[in-house]
Amino acid sequence: MPAADPVPDTDVDTDVTAEAGPPGEAVGPLIRGVGVLRRLTEAGGTLGPSALERTTGLARSTVDRITATLARMDYVRLDGRDIVLTPRVMELGNSYLAALHLPGLLGARADALADELDESVSLAVADLDGIRFIHQATRRRALSVSFRIGDLLPAERTGPGPLFATEWTERDWTRWRDRRSADPHDTAFPALPPRQTPPADTLSPPSSSPSFPERVERAREDGWALDDQLIEPGLVAVSVPVRDPYTGRPVCVASVVSHTSRHSAADLRASLLPRLRTAVAAMESDLRTAPAPDPGPPPSGLAAWTTASKHQLGRDFVESLARGLTVLTAFGAGRSALPLTEVARATGLSRATTRRALLTHEHLGLVASGADRTFTLTPRVLDLGFPPLSRTTLARLAEPHLRSLAQALHEPTALAVLTPDGREIQYTAGAGTSRVLTVHITVGARLPAAATSLGRVLLADTSPAFPEVRAQGYALADEELESGLRSIAVPVRDRTGRAVAAVCVATHTARRTLESCVHDVLPALRTTTDHLRADLHTASRFTPVPAA
């Protein structure tokens, strides 16, 4: 790796960016654009322009230019009067998770433990005086844990918090005390409901409840920690650190999470802690023996793309914002720590532009600079859109694409999956049209798979009954379910290439011939599934995406 370029020291303390002003070379549009993404994330992924104007303090014209730029990058879409985060924005969080390497390396162990215990299991990393989830293996129950990858929680209200705090310096404790005094109701943590009263168990606890410093000392002695309903009544967790095999410091913390109707805190310690420790020992073995990740090719053509977008959109495209965000995508598997030169080479940006973007991200807490003159992403990159999208479904991913296709063709569209026995299809999403004579698609309805275009294109992957469908990549159904009903479907494939769903366009025989379905409808249908597949691949890189 080439020697790192020297980066002038800055006195900006990224731990207190709310109080400290940006460095002189910071990119203002990038700061404002990151602010918009954070407000959208805190709002659950959707806000109107007026609400963004109000919550960011930006002028409406500035909000409009930022959202137009983010829309050009496919990070947001305009849905009526709302601005909505799209799955493409998850590539920013994916860059951090890939560079971290832990979710890909340890996630399967967490999933297996969740299956073994039939309880939710999470992996979390330290984020200043909080903890942030990087992996979630949840149970699908009526009463289940709703935390998402990327959610940030205060250290003192969690099981992982005391374990990470055993490594805190006096500066870290000062930051924690300052934060608790300034925000006693935890309003800075949108993943939690705000406290109605200041917590008694952290600053001035009753004699029967240990303070957070006392819990830290206990965690130091025991090597594990409990969360006994600190987040909310009924929620309990036991946590064990996963330690770096060479330094002995916690790289993440594994937790088993349950509720008191299933396990008391004492029961977690007695029955589940030994099994959690066994899983953590296996994770530490994986850390010790895993080969270095293959970096693969870095992104390319980003600088040329932003320049072309600027030429096309003019002043509505904020090029410095787009270029600043692309800098984050230079990091990834095998590229966790990069010098300035490598970041510039990966993005195609000049060193000066790259340097200003990195300094801005450092000020915002998204990037940290090391003593070796390299830069790394911090967990705060997950603030940029990841949590509200990390619990999405294939049906939700498909809905905007189905609507666009239906509007373009003036025909109804639908997404369906095979039932477990493979005999039927089940509709999971659809979009209609305003025609008088139209096909009504009811989400949840089932039809015989072999008699539908959707079913045939899905069965073609596993059944020898439809060799022609498999060869051509689409299926036609002509008046087989109902006289006058004609449809054409193509598969949606996951990251492994498996057909997990299919999209179809339905029509009446009086409107389109079979030839028209193939020559006029099929190209648009394939383009739509290409876009849906790209969204699915991005969204499912580090989190499962169920069909519905």
Side-chain angles (χ1 to χ4, degrees), residues 1-211:
M1 182 178 289
D5 295 280
V7 178
D9 292 334
T10 174
D11 59 359
V12 172
D13 182 350
T14 58
D15 294 353
V16 289
T17 53
E19 291 81 14
E25 295 179 273
V27 183
L30 180 55
I31 292 175
R32 293 187 282 274
V34 167
V36 166
L37 285 176
R38 281 176 164 160
R39 299 296 86 75
L40 282 167
T41 303
E42 292 167 2
T46 302
L47 272 180
S50 297
L52 271 175
E53 183 182 359
R54 188 168 57 253
T55 58
T56 61
L58 300 173
R60 178 60 178 268
S61 59
T62 301
V63 169
D64 290 344
R65 293 183 65 217
I66 288 172
T67 55
T69 303
L70 295 175
R72 177 69 172 183
M73 300 180 76
D74 288 333
Y75 285 176
V76 304
R77 60 181 168 84
L78 306 181
D79 187 356
R81 295 184 178 182
D82 288 331
I83 298 156
V84 182
L85 291 173
T86 67
R88 180 70 180 272
V89 77
M90 295 178 76
E91 71 178 9
L92 301 175
N94 284 344
S95 293
Y96 164 72
L97 294 172
L100 183 65
H101 192 42
L102 297 178
L105 183 60
L106 308 181
R109 296 279 188 190
D111 294 344
L113 181 62
D115 290 339
E116 176 192 347
L117 302 180
D118 195 26
E119 299 289 355
S120 296
V121 174
S122 66
L123 300 177
V125 295
D127 188 346
L128 299 182
D129 60 340
I131 67 106
R132 196 178 292 267
F133 295 114
I134 59 167
H135 184 82
Q136 288 280 355
T138 57
R139 303 292 87 188
R140 299 191 73 177
R141 297 194 182 100
L143 185 62
S144 61
V145 179
S146 62
F147 288 127
R148 308 158 301 183
I149 295 175
D151 276 340
L152 177 69
L153 304 182
E156 68 276 6
R157 293 179 65 181
T158 69
L163 295 163
F164 286 125
T166 61
E167 303 284 327
W168 281 5
T169 64
E170 185 53 41
R171 182 187 182 194
D172 295 323
W173 281 107
T174 298
R175 177 175 54 233
W176 175 77
R177 294 186 187 97
D178 290 346
R179 190 260 297 166
R180 293 302 304 123
S181 297
D183 184 21
H185 297 283
D186 292 338
T187 58
F189 299 90
L192 293 177
R195 290 183 183 270
Q196 300 303 310
T197 58
D201 61 337
T202 55
L203 296 180
S204 303
S207 57
S208 61
S209 178
S211 68

Side-chain angles (χ1 to χ4, degrees), residues 156-159 195 201 215 226-238 258-261 263-266 268:
E156 68 276 6
R157 293 179 65 181
T158 69
R195 290 183 183 270
D201 61 337
R215 291 179 61 222
L226 278 177
D227 166 8
D228 189 1
Q229 306 181 76
L230 295 174
I231 293 174
E232 68 177 21
L235 186 66
V236 290
V238 61
S258 188
H259 49 83
T260 51
S261 60
H263 292 281
S264 66
L268 285 181

